[in-house]
């Protein structure tokens, strides 16, 4: 459950509200554990805000729009969502 809270800190609230489809699931990729040793902070594959709390939680649009191709598996949808939110053109490799 601890890693799930890194992936989506709002998980308990979403469960209480019956919003299961909105939950961003932990991939069990252990990137957070590897980053801890390397950078003394947390990073999460599906939650770009973890480890950047002191920078603020506001996600600012990219100053220059770039094209991004996302190649991968389970994290693709989250990455695409974040890229589009930040103002990038994003393409999904299926
Ligand atoms: S980095 Fe991976 S294992 Fe760690 S919380 Fe995020 S999705 Fe889960």
């Amino acid at each position: 459950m601890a890693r799930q809270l890194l992936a989506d800190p709002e998980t308990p609230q979403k469960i209480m509200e019956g919003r299961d489809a909105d939950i961003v699931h932990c991939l069990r990729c252990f990137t957070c554990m590897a980053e801890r040793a390397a950078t003394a902070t947390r990073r999460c594959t599906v939650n770009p805000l973890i480890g950047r709390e002191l920078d603020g939680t506001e996600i600012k649009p990219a100053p220059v729009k770039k094209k991004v191709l996302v190649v991968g598996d389970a994290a693709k949808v989250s990455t695409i969502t974040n890229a589009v939110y930040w103002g990038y053109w994003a393409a999904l490799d299926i």
Side-chain angles (χ1 to χ4, degrees):
M1 187 65 182
R3 287 193 305 273
Q4 175 56 39
L5 292 175
L6 290 177
D8 187 350
E10 296 178 6
T11 297
Q13 185 68 28
K14 290 176 180 177
I15 292 171
M16 293 293 290
E17 294 173 355
R19 297 167 44 216
D20 294 8
D22 295 341
I23 295 172
V24 178
H25 293 280
C26 171
L27 304 175
R28 299 181 181 174
C29 63
F30 294 103
T31 297
C32 51
M33 301 301 175
E35 280 290 324
R36 179 77 177 164
T39 66
T41 188
R42 297 276 188 214
R43 295 286 185 249
C44 174
T45 304
V46 297
N47 184 351
L49 299 179
I50 289 297
R52 295 183 169 88
E53 290 84 355
L54 296 178
D55 298 336
T57 56
E58 179 186 0
I59 299 175
K60 297 174 184 154
V64 178
K65 202 173 245 190
K66 297 179 180 176
K67 293 180 181 176
V68 178
L69 174 64
V70 179
V71 181
D73 48 24
K76 279 195 276 195
V77 174
S78 177
T79 304
I80 289 281
T81 302
N82 289 326
V84 170
Y85 188 84
W86 291 326
Y88 290 99
W89 292 99
L92 180 62
D93 172 49
I94 297 177

